[in-house]
Amino acid sequence: MPPPTPVLVADAAALDANVAAMQALADAHGVSLRPHAKGHRAPWVAARQLAAGATGVAVATAAEARILLEAGVGDVLLTTIPAPGRAAELAALGPPGALTLVAHTPALVAVLAAAAADAGRTLRVLVDVDVGQRRGGAPTPEAALATAAAVAAAPTLELRGVQGYDGHLQGIPGAAARAAGHAEAMARLDAVVVALSGAGLAAPLVTTAGTATAALAAAHPSVTEIQPGSYALMDHRYAAIDGVAFTQAAFVLTSVTALIAPGEVIVDAGTRAVSTDLGAPLVAGRDATWVSAGDEHGRVPGDVGDLRPGDVLRLVPSHTDTTVVLHGAVVPA
Ligand SMILES: Cc1ncc(COP(=O)(O)O)c(C=O)c1O
């Protein structure tokens, strides 16, 4: 029987190869690996990453934190600066001590401290530092220090360290340009580490990096942890980045539902099954393209003359992080 489609699946062998390769990179440099789970949202994938040696996982939303905490993952970092309105929910989420949050200002620290007090818990907090992405992290060492001092002074919070995610570097295709940008980003992170240590504030965790900068970050002296995510499943946007050598593991399986012309079929994957924020998906193994034909339909012109309704095509997502949201989570192939 053909599989029910559309569905986002992961090829287990390719996934395991990617998981092993990133773990080997982290191990070779003596840094911890905390895979970002936003691209798979799947406890079964996290379990493979943890079994390979990851020390915890990272997530991007409260919903993802809930999925992984409820699945029993004991160390989850929510990497996004939380909205104040989420503080009460987050403070009470999962077993005590399992969730770490980030904060960028003393004002947010005060909100988190109060929420932790209401929940009767101590919350772990990292200072989120802007290393060039301009997405809200503390923009200067002084701002980061003020935030860290506020965390350290709050009886219901525990200062765990700093996060400096370099998202602005991940899409730079050339290795030399990316390395130059990375040196600047790490200089900004290092200035914060020095400022905290000068003030006597311990920051044992220094976490950073995505798939395209993991190797650079792992080799950087002050970094203690890397948090890449896309390497596990991959997508064709990342495959085009120089030096990112992981195997495509995620595919959207889609069925042919109608024949329109000798060189054109309709499939059951539209924009509610594949994301297009970073371009259209590719059609694996065929000289054909996918074009949106609406929410539930895709149009595939090209080398498709042999296909019949019910035949299944594999689409390679352009951006797995946004495609997975359309499916809930990735499932085994
Ligand atoms: C804060 C943070 N860390 C790590 C990652 C993982 O990056 P990548 O998927 O590029 O490996 C992301 C991805 O968006 C992120 O937002």
Side-chain angles (χ1 to χ4, degrees), residues 143-165:
L145 184 55
T147 306
V151 175
T156 53
L157 302 180
E158 181 193 348
L159 179 63
R160 292 287 297 152
V162 297
Q163 168 180 271
Y165 174 58

Side-chain angles (χ1 to χ4, degrees), residues 36 38 79 135 163 165 170 209-211 227-230 238 321:
H36 213 296
K38 67 183 273 190
T79 57
R135 207 165 64 174
Q163 168 180 271
Y165 174 58
Q170 303 305 321
T211 295
Q227 51 171 260
S230 296
Y238 252 122
D321 287 351

Side-chain angles (χ1 to χ4, degrees), residues 11-299:
D11 175 289
L15 167 67
D16 285 344
N18 293 340
V19 166
M22 189 59 87
Q23 190 64 54
L25 171 79
D27 292 347
H29 291 281
V31 297
S32 302
L33 171 60
R34 177 187 297 278
H36 213 296
K38 67 183 273 190
H40 59 72
R41 307 176 110 209
W44 71 273
V45 176
R48 286 170 120 99
Q49 294 173 315
L50 292 164
T55 47
V57 300
V59 295
T61 66
E64 290 166 2
R66 187 179 294 280
I67 291 167
L68 289 157
L69 288 165
E70 285 179 354
V73 177
D75 183 350
V76 175
L77 167 64
L78 176 51
T79 57
T80 312
I81 295 167
R86 287 268 179 202
E89 171 194 357
L90 292 171
L93 207 54
L99 179 64
T100 302
L101 301 176
V102 303
H104 61 323
T105 59
L108 180 60
V109 170
V111 171
L112 297 181
D118 287 348
R121 290 181 170 194
T122 301
L123 268 180
R124 298 172 163 197
V125 177
L126 302 181
V127 176
D128 191 45
V129 177
D130 179 13
V131 295
Q133 194 174 21
R134 295 173 56 79
R135 207 165 64 174
T140 61
E142 295 73 26
L145 184 55
T147 306
V151 175
T156 53
L157 302 180
E158 181 193 348
L159 179 63
R160 292 287 297 152
V162 297
Q163 168 180 271
Y165 174 58
D166 49 354
H168 60 300
L169 304 176
Q170 303 305 321
I172 297 177
R178 201 162 61 248
H182 192 258
E184 286 174 26
M186 291 302 98
R188 294 179 70 154
L189 192 57
D190 286 348
V192 171
V193 171
V194 167
L196 264 59
S197 129
L201 294 170
L205 193 58
V206 180
T207 183
T208 178
T211 295
T213 55
L216 294 166
H220 188 73
S222 67
V223 170
T224 67
E225 179 183 280
I226 54 173
Q227 51 171 260
S230 296
Y231 74 94
L233 295 178
M234 284 295 285
D235 50 39
H236 75 72
R237 176 266 319 238
Y238 252 122
I241 305 276
D242 197 11
V244 174
F246 296 95
T247 308
Q248 186 59 41
F251 299 93
V252 173
L253 304 185
T254 184
S255 298
V256 174
T257 54
L259 312 178
I260 299 298
E264 186 178 328
V265 300
I266 296 295
V267 296
D268 66 352
T271 50
R272 291 178 76 185
V274 286
S275 66
T276 56
D277 56 311
L278 294 180
L282 302 177
V283 181
R286 277 184 186 261
D287 186 11
T289 52
W290 174 97
V291 184
S292 170
D295 299 345
E296 292 84 20
H297 301 86
R299 187 179 306 285

